[in-house]
Structure formats: C-alpha cells, structure tokens
Amino acid sequence: MSVEECDVLAVGGGPFNLGLAALADPLPDVSVVVCEQLSESDWGWHPGVLFDDAILQVGFLADLVSLVDPTHSLSFLNYLRDRDRLYQFYVRERFHPTRLEYQDYLRWAAARLPVRHGHRVESTSWDDAKARFAVTVSGPDGGRREFSARHLALGVGTAPWLPPKLAALGRDRVVHSADYLRRVADLDRADRVTVVGSGQSGAEVMLDLVRRNGAHGPRLSWLTRTESFAPLDYSRLVLEMTTPDYVRYFASLPERTRDALVAGQWRHYKGISQETIDDLHDALYRRLAHGGTDVELRSGVAVADAALRDGGITLDCVHRDTGQGFEHRTDVVVAATGYRHRPTDFLAPIADRLARDDAGRHQIREDHSIETDPSISGRVFTSNADLHRHGVSAPDLGFGAVRNAVVLNTVLSREAYRLPVRTAFSSFGTPGGDG
C-alpha cells in the first residue's frame, strides 16, 4: 500500500480546515491535505437550516482568509468577482452574505484546494521511528490508503444533540432543527408543533413555521429555558470579545475563571439576531391580524420529562421563576437543542497520550494544539473545540483565519503570516498586565 506524505493532514472539510488549506496554498514549504468523509455532492454547510432568506451572522470579511490576507485569491470578494456578482454586492450595501451564498463560496474554494471528498479517517497512530502520524483512511471506493503526516488538524465539527428524554420519543415524533428543511413536510401534517430551545436555529424554525402556515396550519408553541428570547449581543465593544486581543487575555486566566466566564457569555454566540426577532414579531402580528390561531411563546421553561401518551406527546415542564410544573401537549417536537462535538474515535490509538483537564476536556496550548505526551513531537491542532481555552471566539468564523495563521506559523517555525498586534480598543486586564 502506497503512503502519501504531507505536513498537515486536516480531518474534516468544514470552514476552519478549508481556511487552513487556503492559507497554506500559496506557501511553497508546507503541504496540507484535507480529508472530508462526505462526497462532494453530499457536502453542505448546515443544509437543514439553509433557508432562502437566512443571513450569515458575521460579515463577509469573516471568510477563509481575509482577516489575515485580504489579497488572497480565495477571498470572498474574489469569489464574487469570479461569479460576476461583485458590483451587485457593492450596490446591495449589505455587509452580511446570505447563508446559501456562503455555502456556495465554501464549495467554490474547496474545488480549488487539495480536498479529498469521500475520505474517512479511520485510525491514527504515532510512528516513533519516523516521528510522524500514520493515518489510515478509507476512500470513496471502500479501499484503504495510508497518510504520513507531521501534524494533524482536527476540524470534525459538531453533531446535532437531543436530550435523552426527547430522543426516546422516536424519529417520527422529534425533529432536530438541523434536519428541519428535510422534515418540514412531516410537520405540515401535524395538528400541534412545539419548538423546544431557542438560539438562532430555534428562532429561524419558528419564523418559517409561522410564515408557511399563515393563518392556518398547526397550532404552534415555542418553549425555551432561557429567561427570554434573547437577542445576540452584537454591540461593537462587546464584539471585541471575539478579537485576538481578548483571546490572549482569556487564555491567560485560570481554568475555573474561564469556565465561569463562558457560562455567562452565551448571548455573544447563542443569541438570536435582532433582524430575526423583528421578522418573527411581524409574522406573529400578521397571523393574528389575519384571523389565525394564537402562537404560544414561553421562556424560562425547562422540559423535565417527555412521554408518548394518548396518541400524542406530553412534555412535563417546570417554570424557572415560580418552580411550578405543568404539562404541555403536542404532536411533534422540533428540538433546537444544540450540538455536541463529534467523537474522534480515530484518535483511540493515541488517546492516552493526549492530555485532558479536570473536566475531561483536551488541554489546549496557546498555538491551538492539544497537549501531548513528550514522546509525540507532532502537533494535533484543533478548531471549534477549544471554547474552554480560547473563549467565545472559538466557534466564530471571524477568528478562523487568525487561528489558522497561528497554526501555520507554528508548523513552519517562522512568521509565514503576520498576526495582528492590536485588534480591540478595549483593554481586558489590569494596567501593565495581560490584555
């Protein structure tokens, strides 16, 4: 079996690893290969919630490369130029692309990069003699091939998560928001539909349900345990908490302090865009004005249990302010209950050589690699799995280019990309200290 060598094997073909390959592309002294398990035709970026009018929550500069190298050939602006839409985008005067447009941009970039679609990473071990990772990959034809890589870059992303009580109800009764557009016809046939969980996904699902049914259709409810249907905190100085300046400050804090901060910062990345809230309120008003049934919205409600009963679903709920319990009846639940990190079973052969903190999470270095046993000289870089180490910027598309520049500078032991020095007006630490 032939072995293909590369400097960095990137596992997963999402935006962060595509960005790594893009920034590596013009550099003559580093090679990055991306292995993506989905075929080119099957690959999509959150396809279950790609509504026609959905807008990206970050601006176009949060592409694969621009915040490190705005002259790069794989920038979003160059994509627009290649698609002959640059002037239309300029006249449109909207900073944020549509989500469908962003997906097309990612596909456009991937077609110009060393992305191996249909290649699933099966196993990874460390070859002490060669001081390289030995990676076994299954290809689209079912055959196996081997890669030898100096470093790994993990970008496996997240998977839809259902609370066990909801998952036990069965696929016919529960639809995760990630599958909403693929299952929406099933919801149209129900008498009662309940969205559980908020955030941007929950709000977009609720908005679509209200719009598509007009004054008719299922009776709709929306339950969330947060104290309100809270807007994304998109104020300018708060956004500075997604900058490299804040990342450096946050990473310098003790673990317990970081965890406490993350718990209180959920509105910075899990809130609802103000535009979506306004659109939903308008749609609710139209439904009411046109003679439709009321839509039930309840915040501060936790779902404690769920069961199939009398031909429908009974949700046992608890109101957070009063502590009172009540039953909620519905036919189908749309669960906007978030995502969890995908398992990395392919790391099993070296799992005991990857350091973890007291909470069982990987210990992450400042250069975005996992702390390893000294016997492993290669780096295992990770993206969007380091919220506990680098704060609210971890899942932010706008931080991806800077993180990837740090990775490449580390791999090359030189400044391949100049990193920004001052990125915020705010100072986050004490005078003379970090931040």
Side-chain angles (χ1 to χ4, degrees):
M1 183 184 299
S2 62
V3 178
E4 181 175 350
E5 293 193 351
C6 61
D7 291 308
V8 182
L9 184 70
V11 186
F16 294 132
N17 272 350
L18 288 179
L20 180 64
L23 287 177
D25 191 54
L27 304 178
D29 50 347
V30 65
S31 58
V32 174
V33 174
V34 180
C35 286
E36 165 55 50
Q37 65 178 346
L38 295 178
S39 68
E40 189 172 0
S41 59
D42 288 339
W43 185 92
W45 190 66
H46 302 299
V49 287
L50 278 179
F51 301 100
D52 289 344
D53 57 350
I55 301 296
L56 204 65
Q57 287 185 293
V58 292
F60 72 91
L61 288 177
D63 61 12
L64 301 179
V65 294
S66 288
L67 286 171
V68 167
D69 181 8
T71 67
H72 198 287
S73 63
L74 295 182
S75 70
F76 183 78
L77 290 181
N78 203 42
Y79 154 79
L80 289 175
R81 180 178 181 275
D82 188 66
R83 291 286 198 248
D84 198 25
R85 282 207 313 276
L86 188 56
Y87 242 87
Q88 289 90 333
F89 187 80
Y90 159 67
V91 173
R92 179 173 174 254
E93 291 190 334
R94 296 195 67 176
F95 196 65
H96 299 72
T98 70
R99 205 176 295 161
L100 279 167
E101 185 178 34
Y102 183 74
Q103 175 181 259
D104 188 60
Y105 161 66
L106 295 178
R107 287 176 168 165
W108 172 86
R112 290 157 174 78
L113 292 168
V115 179
R116 309 292 173 81
H117 284 281
H119 285 68
R120 178 185 177 87
V121 174
E122 301 287 352
S123 179
T124 300
S125 60
W126 176 252
D127 188 324
D128 291 306
K130 295 181 179 179
R132 299 175 73 92
F133 291 101
V135 185
T136 302
V137 178
S138 61
D141 58 357
R144 292 177 178 270
R145 62 186 306 172
E146 297 290 329
F147 284 87
S148 178
R150 291 173 55 217
H151 309 283
L152 301 177
L154 308 182
V156 296
T158 55
W161 179 78
L162 287 172
K165 297 290 187 180
L166 292 181
L169 298 177
R171 186 177 182 276
D172 292 341
R173 293 290 190 168
V174 179
V175 178
H176 194 278
S177 58
D179 296 320
Y180 173 76
L181 289 177
R182 290 187 282 258
R183 299 282 307 280
V184 70
D186 298 336
L187 303 178
D188 287 340
R189 292 190 289 268
D191 291 328
R192 298 164 297 182
V193 175
T194 298
V195 178
V196 174
S198 55
Q200 185 67 18
S201 295
E204 288 179 354
V205 165
M206 197 66 196
L207 175 59
D208 189 69
L209 286 169
V210 174
R211 281 176 168 172
R212 69 185 291 108
N213 290 301
H216 309 288
R219 283 175 286 169
L220 302 175
S221 299
W222 189 12
L223 310 177
T224 179
R225 64 181 178 181
T226 56
E227 66 270 17
S228 65
F229 297 99
L232 188 72
D233 196 336
Y234 209 68
S235 54
R236 297 295 182 260
L237 293 179
V238 167
L239 280 178
E240 291 196 338
M241 296 174 70
T242 64
T243 64
D245 279 6
Y246 184 76
V247 170
R248 286 190 291 270
Y249 162 73
F250 183 90
S252 71
L253 298 171
E255 180 182 322
R256 291 182 63 182
T257 304
R258 296 197 306 264
D259 288 346
L261 284 172
V262 166
Q265 292 173 348
W266 63 271
R267 278 187 58 185
H268 304 333
Y269 62 103
K270 288 185 177 181
I272 307 167
S273 75
Q274 189 63 55
E275 184 177 19
T276 303
I277 291 175
D278 293 344
D279 288 345
L280 177 57
H281 191 275
D282 184 65
L284 291 170
Y285 181 82
R286 289 173 183 270
R287 182 183 178 106
L288 181 64
H290 297 168
T293 56
D294 281 344
V295 176
E296 179 186 19
L297 275 65
R298 292 189 188 277
S299 59
V301 170
V303 176
D305 203 355
L308 295 175
R309 197 175 300 157
D310 300 327
I313 297 171
T314 298
L315 301 179
D316 292 330
C317 302
V318 178
H319 190 265
R320 57 174 287 166
D321 291 340
T322 65
Q324 294 180 341
F326 64 94
E327 290 186 349
H328 176 84
R329 296 280 294 168
T330 190
D331 295 312
V332 181
V333 169
V334 180
T337 47
Y339 299 79
R340 295 292 185 272
H341 295 299
R342 294 185 187 279
T344 51
D345 297 338
F346 56 88
L347 293 176
I350 60 171
D352 60 345
R353 299 161 85 174
L354 304 178
R356 295 184 177 273
D357 63 18
D358 294 339
R361 304 165 299 198
H362 283 131
Q363 289 186 8
I364 310 296
R365 300 184 179 105
E366 187 176 353
D367 65 6
H368 305 283
S369 67
I370 299 172
E371 290 276 2
T372 60
D373 184 89
S375 62
I376 296 181
S377 58
R379 291 284 204 266
V380 182
F381 298 101
T382 187
S383 59
N384 196 14
D386 56 345
L387 185 72
H388 60 290
R389 180 65 165 85
H390 291 106
V392 295
S393 68
D396 193 280
L397 292 173
F399 187 66
V402 172
R403 175 168 48 211
N404 285 330
V406 171
V407 169
L408 291 171
N409 289 353
T410 302
V411 168
L412 292 169
S413 299
R414 67 179 179 86
E415 191 182 61
Y417 286 101
R418 181 172 59 86
L419 297 173
V421 176
R422 180 71 189 273
T423 57
F425 294 113
S426 303
S427 297
F428 301 105
T430 56
D434 293 335

